[in-house]
Amino acid sequence: DSGVTQTPKHLITATGQRVTLRCSPRSGDLSVYWYQQSLDQGLQFLIQYYNGEERAKGNILERFSAQQFPDLHSELNLSSLELGDSALYFCASSLGTAPYEQYFGPGTRLTVT
Amino acid sequence: KNEVEQSPQNLTAQEGEFITINCSYSVGISALHWLQQHPGGGIVSLFMLSSGKKKHGRLIATINIQEKHSSLHITASHPRDSAVYICAVYNNNDMRFGAGTRLTVKP
């Protein structure tokens, strides 16, 4: 158990809908990272927050947004969902800004039908 | 050409064999991670390296910054080592991932 929690574990929704994925980092960790893992693209870095502020941006679509709250949990919002957004979404946390070791959550499997 | 290349893509070994997985990258990096992804999907960070060599149990990771190459070695492999091993490089607040090496260790 990494100490990082993600909810929900599974999510099935229709195209055009909006969903929110939640991540709670390990106790004491200030950074949260979001990643997408799809069958055709592999793992991709989406975005990083550090202590409530956006720190780094990767391949995150404009339809996606994230935030980190004062209690350090983070939410990833996905809107106008498309079939291609079906993937595993992982969050990870680390003590500070990279390159610290990251601890991964169990992931949320999103299926868009 | 991908910025992070792993080889081999697939690897099958007999229990007890010495395993090597390679990672080459084409960008400057500040750190390299080796990740293990189990069949159930969970990801565990095995190592983070910026130079030299690290060892944890039967796992050894090395990195050669000049040659832009890292290797992950597993000594005395065991069926429970069966997983996908992923190399990830960190550069300028961005992480890039290799496609992964699927390792199967047979008893």
Side-chain angles (χ1 to χ4, degrees), chain A:
Chain A
D1 183 0
S2 66
V4 179
T5 61
Q6 287 187 250
T7 56
K9 276 190 178 177
H10 302 276
L11 197 47
I12 301 174
T13 190
T15 54
Q17 294 298 305
R18 173 189 168 95
V19 296
T20 297
L21 313 184
R22 183 187 168 107
C23 170
S24 292
R26 274 190 340 152
S27 176
D29 284 356
L30 298 177
S31 269
V32 170
Y33 306 79
W34 285 99
Y35 300 98
Q36 179 194 57
Q37 186 178 39
S38 59
L39 281 175
D40 55 343
Q41 299 274 355
L43 263 170
Q44 290 194 91
F45 166 62
L46 296 179
I47 197 163
Q48 177 198 359
Y49 278 82
Y50 173 74
N51 205 20
E53 301 285 328
E54 182 184 303
R55 174 77 179 181
K57 229 172 187 177
N59 296 325
I60 189 165
L61 299 172
E62 284 194 13
R63 300 183 285 109
F64 296 0
S65 65
Q67 54 185 325
Q68 186 179 29
F69 294 87
D71 68 352
L72 300 177
H73 90 272
S74 178
E75 293 180 357
L76 179 68
N77 300 296
L78 315 175
S79 61
S80 303
L81 285 167
E82 301 174 0
L83 294 177
D85 297 327
S86 296
L88 261 173
Y89 291 84
F90 289 99
C91 100
S93 72
S94 70
L95 183 62
T97 55
Y100 281 93
E101 184 164 359
Q102 296 184 24
Y103 297 86
F104 283 77
T108 293
R109 184 173 294 279
L110 173 66
T111 303
V112 182
T113 61

Side-chain angles (χ1 to χ4, degrees), chain A residues 35 37 45 56 90 98-99 102, chain B residues 37 41 45 48 90 93-95:
Chain A
Y35 300 98
Q37 186 178 39
F45 166 62
F90 289 99
Q102 296 184 24
Chain B
Q37 186 167 29
S45 175
M48 189 193 71
Y90 187 82
N93 291 334
D94 192 14
M95 277 187 82

Side-chain angles (χ1 to χ4, degrees), chain B residues 31-105:
Chain B
L32 180 145
H33 297 255
W34 280 104
L35 309 174
Q36 179 191 54
Q37 186 167 29
H38 289 282
I43 295 177
V44 174
S45 175
L46 299 175
F47 295 103
M48 189 193 71
L49 297 163
S50 53
S51 65
K53 176 179 174 177
K54 285 191 176 180
K55 183 176 191 292
H56 185 251
R58 296 178 295 106
L59 302 178
I60 303 166
T62 63
I63 189 167
N64 185 320
I65 297 291
Q66 286 74 31
E67 304 218 340
K68 296 187 175 178
H69 181 268
S70 176
S71 293
L72 176 68
H73 305 286
I74 305 175
T75 61
S77 59
H78 190 276
R80 65 173 174 267
D81 297 326
S82 297
V84 175
Y85 293 83
I86 301 168
C87 165
V89 300
Y90 187 82
N91 175 41
N92 288 337
N93 291 334
D94 192 14
M95 277 187 82
R96 302 294 170 128
F97 295 87
T101 294
R102 183 175 299 278
L103 172 65
T104 303
V105 182

